[in-house]
Structure formats: structure tokens, C-alpha cells
Amino acid sequence: SSQSLSATGPTISLLALASRSPPSFALRTMGMKYLAAYMMAVIGGKDAPSAEDVKAILEAGGIEVDQAMLDLMMTKVEGKEVHELIAAGHGKFAACGGGGGGGGGG
């Protein structure tokens, strides 16, 4: 039996579902901020930044910290060296394209 998409009864509306779970693009964008803060801590001399280190960097930049997102990111980077994280993510940026060619001078 198929269920209809209605706001009443046992089914849930798409709008209600969307308001509960952000789109994957939003999650990736938020996650990038957390990973960037982690890498900034590494550049700053921390071999294995803590969640508090990352949180301090984000808050210094005026970013409100989502603890669940921070915890998720910390779980994903646990036990990994920063060069491993960069190598793993490098291929994902290939889909972004490379930039345009230079204009002709003249």
C-alpha cells in the first residue's frame, strides 16, 4: 500500500520532513567550516586539535557552534593525520572545476 504525502494522518509532509533534516548541501557547507577550523588549529601547532580547540576558533570567527556537527566531525577525523584528510577530500573538489582560462592581453 502506498502512502500519500499529506500533513494529516500517519504520513508526513515534505515540508515538515525538510524542516527536520537540512539538505546535504547545507551539511557539507557547515562541515567544511568545522574542518577548516580543525585544520587552522593544526597550522597553529596542534597535532591533534580537540573539540574545544575547534570550537574556540569557530566562535572567534563569529560562528555559532552546533555541538552535534562538531562531535560528528571530530569522530570522522579521529586517528587521522591532516595530510590523510586532505588527500581523501582532494578528489571531491575535482567536481568543482578548475577555473577559467586567462583573457587575451591586448
Side-chain angles (χ1 to χ4, degrees):
S1 81
S2 73
Q3 295 182 353
S4 65
L5 295 174
S6 71
T8 61
T11 60
I12 186 166
S13 74
L14 290 177
L15 182 59
L17 182 61
S19 68
R20 290 186 195 162
S21 57
S24 61
F25 176 76
L27 288 175
R28 285 193 308 267
T29 303
M30 284 177 54
M32 289 294 286
K33 293 176 189 176
Y34 291 75
L35 187 56
Y38 181 88
M39 291 186 175
M40 288 175 70
V42 171
I43 291 169
K46 301 271 186 177
D47 289 334
S50 68
E52 287 304 313
D53 295 327
V54 174
K55 185 176 181 178
I57 291 169
L58 291 169
E59 288 176 343
I63 297 170
E64 185 177 330
V65 176
D66 177 334
Q67 191 63 46
M69 180 63 73
L70 178 58
D71 292 343
L72 175 63
M73 191 273 308
M74 292 301 296
T75 299
K76 299 251 183 207
V77 300
E78 185 177 353
K80 295 181 180 147
E81 297 289 327
V82 74
H83 67 274
E84 293 175 297
L85 299 171
I86 292 169
H90 185 267
K92 295 177 184 177
F93 283 106
C96 296

